[in-house]
């Protein structure tokens, strides 16, 4: 199969990439919108959509030119069609459909979570490859879930957050501590000089059966501590709070992942891989704790490089390749879906359940 164009616009990264079946990235571009959203301390959907609209058409043309291919020489176009912010989803999927309509290339309505889930399978990324089945921990600003990845389109969700995502908790606590946005990286830097045992923040769900997460109680506990200390929070106390908060998150993630590994082992005889995806995977303490937890269960931890863990279009192009190889494409009627859980892909019926799964045209 020929190279596939991937388009990602589901949140605040505008991205396009051309990837071939061997996993070679022929061209790639990502534009982060941090600067645009920073004054508001979070992603403003309307601003995100306007920036996608301003950047995407030129970016798509550029990556295709840089790939050395013409549109007609591609094997397909995959655009994130959900879940995410509706404005961005409409822009990215419409651009993808427009290209498909104009060129006759098959269209894949890519699920953003599936793209994260399949990234580790990019050939050459992990020695020995990542065959199905494997366990996935997705920890980003918008998502926090543990999933058994059994095949393309076959996912068993073991648990997820009942309130905030882990990255969201990092961002909110960073805001409380007066750090910039997005807060995860800044909080990790501050935590490095703090004492993780100074404050005993709750570790929600820890020790309970199952694989669900909850971070809003932890965030509230931090907010109460910050309020108790008042506006003149000394730098060292801020570092201790950051470190103690991070410790609570890390312990919770490791505990829930351990339960998931036990469940995975009960169900599957093969596949002892714990794959981590999403921006929070960039956190060294998170990675260290997961490494230990994985080793204790006889699992190998796989963390793709940071640029592939955070939102990007290489993962979308790759998800497109995985689907096209199976003959799975979507109709141009596939509607953008702000909510689109992985389990909904099980019937392989495409983005809106009506008209997906049509054989590729070219
Ligand atoms: O996957 P991602 O780029 O975007 C989505 O949310 O889909 O993840 C971004 C999230 C943000 O919440 C950010 O604060 C968090 O990942 N993050 C981190 C770190 N780097 C990014 N959280 C903790 N420690 C980090 N080093
Ligand atoms: Zn993401």
């Amino acid at each position: 199969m020929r190279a596939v164009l991937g388009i990602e616009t589901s949140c605040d990264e505008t991205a396009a990439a051309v990837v071939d079946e061997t996993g070679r990235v022929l061209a790639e571009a990502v534009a982060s919108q941090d600067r645009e959203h920073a004054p508001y301390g979070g992603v403003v959907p309307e601003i995100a959509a306007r920036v996608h609209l301003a950047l995407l058409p030129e970016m798509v043309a550029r990556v295709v030119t840089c790939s050395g291919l013409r549109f007609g020489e591609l094997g397909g176009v995959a655009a994130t069609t959900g879940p995410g912010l509706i404005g961005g989803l409409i822009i990215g999927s419409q651009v993808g459909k427009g290209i498909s309509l104009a060129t006759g290339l098959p269209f894949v309505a890519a699920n953003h979570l599936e793209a994260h889930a399949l990234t580790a399978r990019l050939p050459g990324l992990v020695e020995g490859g990542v065959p199905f089945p494997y366990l996935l921990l997705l920890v980003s600003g918008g998502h926090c879930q543990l999933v058994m990845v059994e095949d393309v389109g076959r996912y068993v969700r073991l648990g997820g957050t009942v309130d905030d995502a882990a990255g969201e908790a990092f961002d909110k606590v960073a805001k409380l501590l007066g750090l910039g946005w997005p807060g995860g990286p800044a909080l990790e830097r501050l935590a490095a000089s703090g004492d993780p045992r100074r404050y005993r923040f709750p570790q929600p769900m820890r020790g309970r059966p199952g694989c669900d997460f909850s971070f809003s109680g932890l965030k509230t506990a931090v907010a109460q501590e910050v309020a108790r200390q008042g506006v003149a929070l000394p730098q060292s106390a801020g570092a201790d709070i950051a470190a103690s908060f991070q410790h609570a998150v890390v312990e919770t993630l490791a505990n829930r992942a351990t339960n998931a590994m036990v469940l995975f082992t009960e169900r599957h005889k093969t596949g002892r891989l714990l794959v981590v995806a999403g921006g929070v995977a960039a956190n060294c303490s998170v990675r260290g704790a997961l490494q230990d937890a994985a080793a204790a269960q006889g699992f190998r931890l796989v963390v793709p490089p940071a640029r592939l863990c955070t939102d990007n279009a290489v993962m979308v192009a790759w998800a497109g390749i995985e689907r096209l190889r199976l003959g799975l494409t979507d109709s141009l009627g596939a509607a953008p879906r702000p909510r689109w859980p992985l389990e909904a892909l099980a019937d392989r019926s495409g983005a809106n359940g009506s008209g997906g799964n049509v054989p590729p045209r070219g």
Side-chain angles (χ1 to χ4, degrees):
M1 193 219 310
R2 291 163 293 170
V4 167
L5 168 67
I7 294 173
E8 163 59 38
T9 53
S10 66
C11 190
D12 60 338
E13 261 88 28
T14 313
V18 178
V19 179
D20 75 14
E21 204 180 7
T22 68
R24 206 154 53 98
V25 179
L26 304 183
E28 177 188 10
V30 184
S32 161
Q33 302 177 3
D34 287 353
R35 206 161 34 89
E36 283 82 357
H37 301 288
Y40 307 95
V43 178
V44 182
E46 177 64 22
I47 292 176
R50 283 169 191 271
V51 177
H52 290 312
L53 193 55
L55 299 184
L56 188 64
E58 185 276 332
M59 186 183 276
V60 166
R62 181 156 39 96
V63 295
V64 174
T65 303
C66 289
S67 74
L69 301 170
R70 286 189 301 257
F71 280 100
E73 294 172 321
L74 296 168
V77 50
T80 300
T81 304
L85 300 172
I86 189 65
L89 294 174
I90 290 172
I91 290 160
S93 60
Q94 286 302 109
V95 167
K97 289 173 188 176
I99 294 168
S100 171
L101 193 62
T103 58
L105 293 174
F107 175 67
V108 174
N111 178 296
H112 182 83
L113 303 175
E114 175 167 80
H116 273 304
L118 299 177
T119 306
R121 286 171 48 78
L122 259 167
L125 207 60
V126 178
E127 211 189 313
V130 177
F132 299 117
Y134 54 91
L135 183 63
L136 172 78
L137 170 63
L138 177 58
V139 268
S140 70
H143 306 282
C144 186
Q145 49 186 282
L146 278 154
V147 180
M148 292 196 274
V149 181
E150 300 189 335
D151 201 345
V152 175
R154 255 190 39 219
Y155 307 95
V156 179
R157 188 175 185 272
L158 296 173
T161 183
V162 297
D163 39 56
D164 294 348
E168 191 180 356
F170 267 99
D171 291 336
K172 286 177 175 170
V173 167
K175 200 169 177 179
L176 285 170
L177 294 174
L179 306 173
W181 186 87
L187 193 141
E188 182 180 16
R189 277 194 297 279
L190 181 60
S193 60
D195 175 3
R197 302 194 189 273
R198 164 104 180 263
Y199 300 97
R200 288 200 160 273
F201 291 132
Q203 296 176 7
M205 302 280 190
R206 189 171 173 212
R208 284 208 229 160
C211 304
D212 281 338
F213 304 87
S214 164
F215 292 108
S216 78
L218 169 60
K219 176 196 65 193
T220 305
V222 175
Q224 283 167 347
E225 184 56 40
V226 170
R228 199 182 63 77
Q229 301 217 11
V231 277
L233 189 69
Q235 166 77 16
S236 62
D240 289 345
I241 290 175
S244 303
F245 160 78
Q246 181 174 271
H247 178 70
V249 174
V250 161
E251 291 290 307
T252 305
L253 291 176
N255 173 263
R256 312 318 283 165
T258 297
N259 285 3
M261 286 185 275
V262 170
L263 291 171
F264 185 96
T265 306
E266 282 169 14
R267 181 171 163 121
H268 294 288
K269 296 216 167 0
T270 61
R272 298 290 174 267
L273 288 180
L274 172 60
V275 174
V276 189
V280 180
N283 185 292
C284 291
S285 303
V286 168
R287 287 221 293 262
L290 290 173
Q291 177 70 56
D292 293 346
Q297 297 300 320
F299 274 59
R300 179 173 155 214
L301 183 74
V302 171
V303 187
R307 70 181 178 85
L308 293 174
C309 279
T310 54
D311 287 352
N312 66 88
V314 171
M315 68 179 191
V316 179
W318 179 251
I321 289 172
E322 293 257 29
R323 289 203 152 243
L324 288 168
R325 278 204 297 226
L326 298 172
L328 299 170
T329 70
D330 295 281
S331 81
L332 299 185
R337 296 175 63 165
R339 296 181 65 83
W340 188 11
L342 277 173
E343 310 84 274
L345 296 170
D347 60 2
R348 289 186 169 168
S349 61
N352 56 4
S354 65
N357 218 6
V358 295
R361 278 176 284 166

